[in-house]
Amino acid sequence: MRSKLVILLVLLTACLTAQEVRKDTLLDKNQAIELVLSKNFDIEVSENNLEIADNNQGILNSGYLPTLSTSFGYDFSLQDRLAEVEGREPIDQNDLETRSYRASLDLNYTVFDGLGRLYNYKSLKEQYDLSGLEVRETIENTLIQMFTVYYEVARIYENVQILEQTMEISNERVKRSNYQFQFGQNSKLVVLNAEVDAANDSINLINARQNLENTRRDLMLILNIEFEKEFKVDTLVNFIPELLIAQYIEKAEENNVSVLKIERNLTISDYDIKISRSGYFPQIDLFGSYGWNRNISPESPFFPGSTQTLEGLSAGVSLSWNLFDGGQTAVRVQNAKVGYKTQEVLKDQIKFQVKRDISNAFNNYKNRLYIFELQEQNVITNKNNFDRSKEQFSIGQITSIEFRQAQINLINAQTSRNLAKYDAKIAELQLLQLTGQLLNIDF
């Protein structure tokens, strides 16, 4: 019974191996980048914030344009009047209507406000640049996240190919063992060992394929897309020359997004001080107005009813100076100076952190690249050993256990090489992000 189950599992895996992964859909790196830039939620939110910052830095939000307003009004009253004059009969007037119409057009412009408006405008420009850096930071983090999953898909896909080849060899070994057993060239134990190894290989292959599907779904989640068909990814990995990496590291302080952000914040804090100081200065405003008024009055005991219409222009200049505001301006200036000092401290801290992170990332990248090179050589060695073992096994010079060990050694070497390759590439991308060059390279 146990032997039948093993054979059934082997045949099932053989059928799965025969069905090649559909290769009509290739998601290469450039396509993945385009998708994540256009569909990722975090990037979309950061771009919306950038649009708001762009609106804020415009001339319409600067305070440099004049204001123009208009107003209209209408008043109506209905009254009864009793006029009593000495020596005369009282005069009783009922339903006396009074109407009043008015309209005005007012223009105001601030000529001088202590330069607060100027520095606020410059501050808004810096805030826009800061928002642009935040968008860049979000894009960089998203690309690192995407490529981490993308290369994980590539790694598992290559492992599946290795296990498929292993499965073919194991199936061939089962057939060979059965033939040899039928002709009395080996024992039943050799057949059972081959079947057990093939069953283990089939289980590993099934698990790897399931892991591949799960990781594909993780990638689709980051890209915010759905594929109706299975897809494969680009497994080709190219590394940047170390000399060019060294040049990137030399200019890291000029390009690192965290350093650039803190420099923008430092400039904004400097403008905050100047904006606060504008409260010490007077404000000069120009104003102009056009007005129209019409009053319709009822007759009185002594005067007939009348209608008066007034219209005309008026203009002027005003100067206002808050000589003492209870110390509020002084407090704002002091707080702005403290905020500037805080940004200076943060700038020094971030520079030290970036320098440390780059050193760690560079050493990590070199170690992982070296490990990858060693693993490549290890694969060559194990491949030669396996080929020789296969020849010796076919002529009966080594046992099936020795052949299986050579096969396992080759599998481990190949999967370790795949892991080392993609680990080194992710380490390189993380280093490029720290040096500010992640968006300036060809993937």
Side-chain angles (χ1 to χ4, degrees):
M1 183 66 181
R2 177 179 173 274
S3 178
K4 291 181 178 179
L5 291 175
V6 171
I7 295 175
L8 179 62
L9 185 58
V10 170
L11 292 176
L12 175 61
T13 307
C15 293
L16 292 175
T17 304
Q19 296 178 356
E20 295 183 355
V21 176
R22 284 173 285 182
K23 299 180 180 180
D24 53 347
T25 303
L26 171 65
L27 179 65
D28 62 30
K29 301 181 186 72
N30 291 330
Q31 289 174 331
I33 292 173
E34 292 177 1
L35 288 171
V36 78
L37 292 180
S38 61
K39 291 181 174 293
N40 183 266
F41 295 122
D42 293 335
I43 294 177
E44 186 175 353
V45 170
S46 63
E47 288 177 345
N48 290 339
N49 293 333
L50 178 63
E51 185 176 354
I52 292 174
D54 188 23
N55 294 333
N56 290 336
Q57 71 155 350
I59 189 66
L60 296 178
N61 193 45
S62 65
Y64 277 107
L65 298 180
T67 60
L68 183 65
S69 62
T70 183
S71 62
F72 303 91
Y74 168 71
D75 296 326
F76 171 80
S77 66
L78 183 65
Q79 298 175 340
D80 296 332
R81 179 190 296 158
L82 178 62
E84 296 179 346
V85 182
E86 186 177 354
R88 297 181 58 182
E89 290 291 330
I91 302 175
D92 189 8
Q93 295 177 303
N94 297 319
D95 299 331
L96 298 178
E97 294 183 0
T98 301
R99 293 184 175 88
S100 176
Y101 305 88
R102 61 185 179 277
S104 66
L105 187 65
D106 302 303
L107 179 69
N108 292 278
Y109 181 70
T110 300
V111 179
F112 180 76
D113 65 345
L115 299 179
R117 177 177 52 184
L118 172 64
Y119 292 119
N120 183 66
Y121 182 64
K122 291 183 177 181
S123 177
L124 292 173
K125 292 286 187 182
E126 291 294 329
Q127 291 175 22
Y128 170 75
D129 293 338
L130 178 62
S131 296
L133 291 173
E134 290 173 347
V135 172
R136 171 187 156 186
E137 184 177 41
T138 301
I139 292 175
E140 290 179 351
N141 292 334
T142 304
L143 286 178
I144 292 294
Q145 181 187 17
M146 186 273 291
F147 272 115
T148 300
V149 181
Y150 184 93
Y151 285 131
E152 181 66 6
V153 173
R155 183 185 72 85
I156 299 175
Y157 176 77
E158 288 191 316
N159 287 350
V160 167
Q161 290 182 315
I162 293 171
L163 293 174
E164 287 175 347
Q165 295 173 359
T166 302
M167 193 68 238
E168 292 177 1
I169 296 173
S170 296
N171 290 336
E172 182 63 29
R173 180 183 160 202
V174 170
K175 294 179 181 178
R176 180 182 179 86
S177 299
N178 279 307
Y179 290 150
Q180 291 176 339
F181 175 72
Q182 292 174 2
F183 289 97
Q185 296 179 356
N186 61 24
S187 65
K188 184 63 176 178
L189 180 61
V190 174
V191 176
L192 293 176
N193 286 335
E195 290 177 349
V196 169
D197 291 337
N200 289 331
D201 290 340
S202 67
I203 292 172
N204 293 334
L205 178 57
I206 292 172
N207 290 333
R209 283 174 171 168
Q210 181 62 50
N211 192 18
L212 177 61
E213 291 304 310
N214 294 340
T215 311
R216 278 191 180 123
R217 295 187 188 97
D218 293 338
L219 180 59
M220 288 188 289
L221 178 63
I222 296 176
L223 300 179
N224 191 24
I225 59 172
E226 291 187 7
F227 276 107
E228 296 181 356
K229 298 181 179 180
E230 294 180 359
F231 65 92
K232 67 175 185 177
V233 297
D234 188 1
T235 58
L236 178 63
V237 171
N238 295 317
F239 294 97
I240 297 177
E242 187 172 333
L243 181 61
L244 190 57
I245 292 287
Q247 295 176 0
Y248 291 158
I249 293 176
E250 290 179 1
K251 299 181 179 180
E253 191 171 306
E254 302 174 9
N255 300 310
N256 180 272
V257 68
S258 297
V259 175
L260 295 176
K261 282 175 59 180
I262 194 61
E263 288 177 349
R264 289 288 183 272
N265 283 321
L266 195 62
T267 303
I268 292 172
S269 296
D270 182 51
Y271 287 142
D272 289 340
I273 297 174
K274 296 175 180 178
I275 292 171
S276 300
R277 285 174 177 167
S278 65
Y280 291 129
F281 297 94
Q283 180 170 320
I284 301 175
D285 296 299
L286 296 177
F287 64 88
S289 176
Y290 168 78
W292 177 85
N293 290 274
R294 170 170 288 185
N295 294 309
I296 303 175
S297 303
E299 64 179 356
S300 67
F302 308 103
F303 299 98
S306 64
T307 298
Q308 295 182 349
T309 301
L310 298 175
E311 63 177 323
L313 297 172
S314 62
V317 59
S318 67
L319 185 145
S320 60
W321 197 343
N322 194 347
L323 298 178
F324 182 70
D325 61 355
Q328 296 180 10
T329 299
V331 172
R332 285 195 296 269
V333 172
Q334 291 172 0
N335 291 339
K337 289 181 178 180
V338 173
Y340 183 82
K341 292 180 181 179
T342 300
Q343 294 299 324
E344 286 184 319
V345 173
L346 291 175
K347 180 179 180 180
D348 293 336
Q349 180 186 22
I350 288 175
K351 282 187 174 181
F352 280 121
Q353 289 177 347
V354 169
K355 186 176 181 180
R356 178 206 61 188
D357 293 342
I358 289 177
S359 297
N360 292 342
F362 183 54
N363 290 332
N364 181 54
Y365 169 64
K366 289 194 299 183
N367 289 336
R368 290 181 182 274
L369 194 59
Y370 180 65
I371 291 173
F372 170 57
E373 293 171 355
L374 291 178
Q375 292 292 356
E376 279 196 316
Q377 185 60 45
N378 190 34
V379 167
I380 295 174
T381 302
N382 279 276
K383 183 67 169 59
N384 292 333
N385 178 64
F386 174 76
D387 291 340
R388 185 173 181 181
S389 298
K390 187 177 181 181
E391 293 176 359
Q392 292 179 339
F393 177 69
S394 64
I395 59 178
Q397 292 184 352
I398 63 174
T399 65
S400 62
I401 296 177
E402 292 173 321
F403 173 74
R404 177 63 177 177
Q405 187 59 51
Q407 186 184 27
I408 292 175
N409 291 339
L410 178 60
I411 295 171
N412 292 336
Q414 290 174 326
T415 55
S416 296
R417 178 197 58 187
N418 292 341
L419 178 61
K421 177 173 69 171
Y422 295 114
D423 280 350
K425 188 59 181 181
I426 293 298
E428 181 188 80
L429 295 180
Q430 292 171 342
L431 178 59
L432 291 172
Q433 181 185 16
L434 289 170
T435 59
Q437 300 294 335
L438 183 62
L439 304 182
N440 299 328
I441 63 169
D442 293 328
F443 293 95

